[in-house]
Amino acid sequence: MKRSARLGIVIGGVAALGAAFALAGGGYSAFQSQSSPIQSPLSTATIQLSLSKSGSSGSLPIGASNLVPGDFVQREVVLQNTGTAPIGAVTLQVTNSATNALSTDATNGLQVSVQSCPATWMATPLSDGGFTYTCSTTPTNVVASEPIGTLGTPTPLSIPSIPVGGSDALVITRTLPTSAGNSFQNLQDTTTWTFTATQEAGSAS
C-alpha cells in the first residue's frame, strides 16, 4: 500500500514538473529585426504593329482596274514595330469581299506572292498610275506564289524578327494568270490584308 502511494506521488510530481516547463517555455520571446521595404516595379510590354507607306504613292491600299490575263499588280507595305517588345513572328490573312473565280479558282484566279527587300525597294511609276518595284539587292521570298484563296487563314511570313523601332518593307504582287479565260471578264473584288504580330519568345530579365 505504501509503495503504491509513493509511486503515485512520483508520477504526479513528474506531471506537475512537465506542466511547469510548458508554462515557462510559453513565456519566452525572441529578438527580431525587419529590413526597410524594397519596391520592385514591373510592367508588361506592348505588341504594336503599324502599317505605313515608304514614301511612294504605290503603297497599299491602292487598288487596280481593267486587268487582263497576264497582268500583275505590285503594292508596297512597310511593317513597323511601334511597340515596346521585339516582334518574333507575323502572319498574313487575306479576305475577299466577293466569292467569284478571282478567289475560288486556284489555277486561273489571282495568285499572290510577297517579297522582302533587305535594303531599299526602288519604285518605278507606270503610265497607268501603278508602280513596279525592284530591290537594290536580292529580295527574299516571304510568301511563294499562292492562290489568293489559300491565304484565307493566317499564313506565317518568312521574315526575321522585328526589333523595337525596326521595320520590314514588303512588296505584294497579285497576278492574273494568262490562263484566265472569258469567264473572268467583268469580275470585281476587294481584298483586305490583315497582318498579325506575335512577340518574340520571352527570356530572363
Side-chain angles (χ1 to χ4, degrees):
M1 294 293 294
K2 291 182 179 178
R3 264 183 212 172
S4 296
R6 287 196 192 109
L7 286 173
I9 293 171
V10 171
I11 293 171
V14 171
L17 183 61
F21 278 134
L23 180 61
Y28 289 155
S29 62
F31 294 122
Q32 293 182 330
S33 175
Q34 188 176 61
S35 69
S36 300
I38 299 175
Q39 295 182 339
S40 181
L42 184 145
S43 63
T44 56
T46 300
I47 299 299
Q48 183 71 44
L49 180 67
S50 301
L51 306 182
S52 69
K53 298 180 179 181
S54 65
S56 72
S57 57
S59 300
L60 287 173
I62 297 174
S65 58
N66 298 323
L67 296 182
V68 297
D71 278 353
F72 65 91
V73 179
Q74 290 187 319
R75 296 292 182 261
E76 184 180 14
V77 61
V78 179
L79 309 180
Q80 291 186 321
N81 183 352
T82 55
T84 60
I87 292 174
V90 178
T91 62
L92 168 63
Q93 183 173 7
V94 178
T95 55
N96 299 280
S97 63
T99 303
N100 55 42
L102 289 174
S103 59
T104 61
D105 190 327
T107 302
N108 307 305
L110 289 172
Q111 308 294 307
V112 175
S113 62
V114 182
Q115 290 185 311
S116 172
C117 181
T120 304
W121 286 107
M122 306 299 293
T124 302
L126 303 174
S127 58
D128 62 358
F131 284 80
T132 58
Y133 291 86
T134 54
C135 181
S136 55
T137 61
T138 303
T140 301
N141 290 324
V142 173
V143 174
S145 183
E146 296 277 352
I148 196 170
T150 65
L151 302 177
T153 57
T155 301
L157 301 183
S158 301
I159 61 175
S161 61
I162 306 176
V164 175
S167 63
D168 199 334
L170 307 178
V171 164
I172 298 174
T173 302
R174 287 174 290 173
T175 302
L176 184 62
T178 55
S179 58
N182 287 332
S183 61
F184 281 82
Q185 293 187 64
N186 200 34
L187 295 182
Q188 297 182 2
D189 191 13
T190 297
T191 304
T192 300
W193 311 85
T194 302
F195 296 86
T196 302
T198 302
Q199 68 166 73
E200 201 172 61
S203 59
S205 299

